[in-house]
Structure formats: C-alpha cells, structure tokens
Amino acid sequence: MTPSLTCSSAIGLVLLATSASADVTPQEVWASWQAMLTSAGQELTIGNTADNGSSVEVTDLAVAYKDEMGGSAAVSFDKLTFVGNGDGTVTVTMPESYPLEMSFPAEGDGPGAMKLTVRQPGMKIVAGGSATETRYEFAGPKVTVELDEIKDQTGAVLDTKADLTMADLTARYLVAQDGDKTTLDSDFAAGSMLLNLSGVDSSGENGGRGTIMLSLSGLTGATKGTFLGADVMANMAVALNSGFTMDSSFNFGALSMNLDIEEAAGPSRVVANATGGGFVLAMDKARMTYGTSLNGGKFTFSGAEIPFPQVELAFAESGFNLLMPVSKSDSPQDFAFLTKLVDFTVSEDIWAMVDPGASLSREPATIIVDLKGTGKWKADIMDPAVQMDGAEPPGELDSLDVTQILARAAGAEVSATGGLVFDNSDMMTFGGMPRPDGKISIGIKGANKLVENLIALGILSQEDAMGFRMGMAMFTRPGAGPDELTSEIEFKEGGLFANGQRLQ
C-alpha cells in the first residue's frame, strides 16, 4: 500500500468517525456505523457498550485498517455517545481529541510511520433520516491535526513538526445505502486553513532546516457519487461497469505560502501568493474529468545561489482540464484538453541577462492550447490487464477540433484554429496514423522582428535565421498587416497542402 493510499484510509476513518451512518434512534445509529466501518474493510474493537434506551455510550473503541502490502491506519476513541433528541435525530458526541496512527510499507519512498492527534473542541454532530437514507450535519469552530511523531523506513524518529488547522468548519452529508452501494451527496465549507511544517535534514553533509507556512481562505468543496465495496473497487474497470461514480470539487480564495530553508550555502526563501484556485475530479463509466486552476499567482525566489536579490514570476491565470472517455465503446466519445498560462511575467533582472538593451518586448506572455474531439477506446483502459504501450494502440481518434492555440511572447504571436476528421480504415497514407481530412488556419505576427532581435543579441545565427525564413516562406503567405503571415494547412484527397500547394 502506498503512503497516499494509507493516508486516504486514515482520512476515511476520521470522516466516518465525524459523520457516522445514522437512523432515527441511537441504537440504529450505532449499529449502522458498525456496519459501514466493517463493510469498508476495517476491524472494530469495542471495550464496552451501555444502552439505556434513549442513549448509547461506547467506550474504548478502536478502528484499524490493514492491507496485503503492509500498510495500516488506526484511530481510537475513549468514548462515543449517541443521544436521541426526541425529534427523529440523534446527537453524536465525540472526544475533543483522539489519536491517529499510520504505517507505510517498507518498499515505499516516504516515511515509515507517523502518529497524529486530531483535536476538535466544540464539534457538534447531528444525524437523522432513515435506515436507507441518512443525513448528517456537523459544525465546529476549529479542527486541528497535529503531528506527534514521524519515523523513517529504518524506524528512526525524524526531527519534524507539523500541524494543520481548519477554522469555522461546516459540512453536510446525505448518505443512501442500497445493498453494497453507498450513494453520497456532501459539501463542506471552512473559513480558513493553516498548515505549518518544519524539519531538519540530517541525511548528508549539507543537511539543513526548512519551514513551510501555507494558508488558504474561503474553502468550499462538494462530493457526489456512488461508492462500492473494497473488493469491487480493486479493479477500476469492474467498478465503473458496476455503477461507481464520483464528482468532486474543491475551491479556495486567497492563498499564501512561505518556504524558508537554511543550508550551509546560506538561506533561501520562496514566497507564493494567489487570489484563488481549485480543482475538479469526476468519473463514471462514460468519462473522466480532471482540472486545476490558479489565479493571480505571484512567486518570489531569493537565496545565496540566485545572482539577484530576488526573482519574481507572476501570471494572471493558469489552468488545466482534461475530459476523456474511460471505457470500451463501439461509437466515438467526446474528449477535451485545455492548458493555459495567461499574462506570464518575469522580473527585469531575468530579462537583463539575455537582453540588456531591452530589444525584446517585455509584454506578458500567454500560452493557450484548447482542443476538443471524439475518439473511442477499443479496451477498458482502467483494467490493470490492458497494455497501454503495446504495438497496437488501444484506441482510435475520430475527430479533432482546434478551438484555440495561442502563443504570445517577446513581441511575436502564433495562433491556430481549425478541425480534422480521421479515417481509421486508412493507416497507410500517412505512415501508420489514420488519414486526416480538414484544415488548420495559422496566423503569425511579429516573427521577422523577433528573428532580427535574436540575431542582434547573438542568440540566433544568420545561417539559422536564413533556414527559418526559408521554411516560413514555404508554408506561409503575407497577412493583412506588416510583419504578419498566414497559412492554411489542409489535408484532402490523401495529400497535405499548404496555401493550396501540395506538399505530400
């Protein structure tokens, strides 16, 4: 079991602990919680249970998880109480703090084991609903996870300290149970999150000390999905075909991070700020979506090995998004790919290294690649038995739409739009790839001026510039304005054409 899987299991223990499956009576709440934990592969050890009808008190409860690779996670509670409120809901009271332990397989690259303490003073948990559809609501002024001890793979205790605090936390869960399927609809919000991490690296002669402080504000998240038993989830292809779905999102407001490192060569520092960001992850039998974003980013670097007081990088917007089919299909399915970095800038010290005379434009750089299309998999790629790197591709590309390609930097710009369709029955015309049909329109601005500046700076030789210009002349023609070029790359009749001239 990898460290990330062990952490996921441990986090699951905490979440199950703070949102135990519930019904309308304390006895049903406690019974439902036990059933959910054991069905997820955990083992329960119960010290004592006291039932007086209107409430259930459980003492010395331990929940443990192990897998075949040697990883484990365990959490324990000295007392839990389930008290009926007389209105069909149940209040669950947990300890204000409880321990969490994790260990990782010896084959991993991460730590060997760690001990944590979860503190949640004032946490209020109310459960209600029915045996088949359970609702949870909880709120807490603060939840803190503290690192008590961390060991490496040899068992040596590392000099590391860490704590994670979330303030003004609220959450809602709605869980419906149907046999071995659990349907979840949840969301949460937190006013802020603060992570502090510090440690000493004593592994080598140049070992040093480092500290990290990360803060986020305005956190929100949501998860919807249908989750299955551990045996089914072991093979994602089987799980997807059995009804597994997941749709999760996470967003945050202002971000601030400080990283300080003390080494023999001297101190170094990284400061990062952003105005917001987030990610999405969704999956079902038809498709998978994954995306990230970060806006208003600014990074400052300083240190003994940097030949300037500091270096600054900034951008207005960055993003990545991928949509793709994940299951075998006989008909084409949609896919999409987007990556972008908008208005990227670097500090003048960096520019001055390559362009001290400011010949090149300092305007912010932008790169955008936005593609859409259709295709299909000929095998379930989520099945571990499927070989993705075999001699025969496991999928087919049917169409590709170039919604936007844009590269703008140093006073030059290249853009492209267009679309292609592919004939997968013809793999000979273009040497092993399906024959395309369609057109891509390309626009180029400022290329000649950029080439002249690069020659003046000694970055580009006259010979290289001549070869570049000859190549441009073959594929382009003059555009509407000065130092503008255009090109139409067209695939038709089994050939490749540039501005009407056949190249292949």
Side-chain angles (χ1 to χ4, degrees), residues 252-269:
F252 55 87
L255 174 151
S256 176
M257 186 198 75
N258 293 333
L259 168 62
D260 291 281
I261 300 175
E262 294 283 348
E263 297 178 303
S268 58
R269 191 173 203 209

Side-chain angles (χ1 to χ4, degrees), residues 114-344:
M114 65 175 63
K115 295 180 180 180
L116 307 167
T117 297
V118 180
R119 304 186 189 279
Q120 49 179 18
M123 177 66 70
K124 182 179 180 181
I125 307 166
V126 178
S130 66
T132 57
E133 188 170 289
T134 308
R135 181 184 67 254
Y136 322 102
E137 295 181 1
F138 69 90
K142 183 169 66 174
V143 175
T144 301
V145 181
E146 298 176 355
L147 176 64
D148 299 320
E149 181 183 83
I150 183 168
K151 297 180 179 180
D152 63 16
Q153 291 288 347
T154 68
V157 177
L158 303 177
D159 186 0
T160 303
K161 297 180 180 179
D163 61 78
L164 173 69
T165 301
M166 299 182 72
D168 301 324
L169 182 66
T170 60
R172 177 192 61 86
Y173 291 84
L174 181 64
V175 174
Q177 201 77 32
D178 181 13
D180 62 347
K181 293 184 179 181
T182 301
T183 302
L184 173 67
D185 184 353
S186 68
D187 57 65
F188 86 96
S192 63
M193 186 196 80
L194 177 64
L195 169 66
N196 290 295
L197 174 65
S198 64
V200 176
D201 179 11
S202 57
S203 59
E205 296 180 358
N206 298 321
R209 173 180 294 274
T211 62
I212 298 176
M213 186 283 293
L214 172 66
S215 68
L216 300 172
S217 66
L219 295 86
T220 60
T223 297
K224 296 182 179 180
T226 300
F227 300 89
L228 311 175
D231 293 342
V232 178
M233 294 298 296
N235 186 313
M236 186 55 65
V238 174
L240 291 170
N241 283 288
S242 300
F244 166 69
T245 66
M246 179 182 65
D247 191 341
S248 296
S249 63
F250 173 71
N251 295 284
F252 55 87
L255 174 151
S256 176
M257 186 198 75
N258 293 333
L259 168 62
D260 291 281
I261 300 175
E262 294 283 348
E263 297 178 303
S268 58
R269 191 173 203 209
V270 179
V271 177
N273 294 279
T275 59
F279 79 87
V280 295
L281 176 62
M283 183 181 296
D284 58 26
K285 183 180 179 180
R287 70 15 170 165
M288 179 186 75
T289 300
Y290 173 72
T292 63
S293 64
L294 188 64
N295 301 323
K298 182 178 180 180
F299 299 82
T300 303
F301 306 87
S302 61
E305 297 183 359
I306 298 177
F308 314 111
Q310 65 181 32
V311 173
E312 293 184 356
L313 309 177
F315 54 83
E317 182 183 0
S318 68
F320 173 85
N321 191 74
L322 173 67
L323 166 69
M324 60 179 284
V326 293
S327 298
K328 178 181 178 180
S329 175
D330 294 328
S331 59
Q333 307 295 312
D334 292 334
F335 73 85
F337 174 82
L338 169 67
T339 184
K340 60 182 176 180
L341 182 63
V342 179
D343 291 345
F344 175 75

Side-chain angles (χ1 to χ4, degrees), residues 9-79:
S9 300
I11 293 170
L13 295 177
V14 175
L15 292 178
L16 287 169
T18 56
S19 58
S21 180
D23 206 342
V24 292
T25 70
Q27 293 76 17
E28 291 167 330
V29 172
W30 171 229
S32 181
W33 189 24
Q34 295 176 80
M36 179 176 288
L37 286 170
T38 54
S39 67
Q42 280 99 214
E43 295 183 358
L44 274 64
T45 303
I46 303 169
N48 186 56
T49 302
D51 185 350
N52 67 7
S54 61
S55 66
V56 174
E57 181 179 284
V58 182
T59 56
D60 298 327
L61 171 66
V63 184
Y65 174 82
K66 296 181 180 180
D67 76 357
E68 68 280 359
M69 297 181 67
S72 67
V75 63
S76 59
F77 309 100
D78 53 10
K79 184 171 69 173

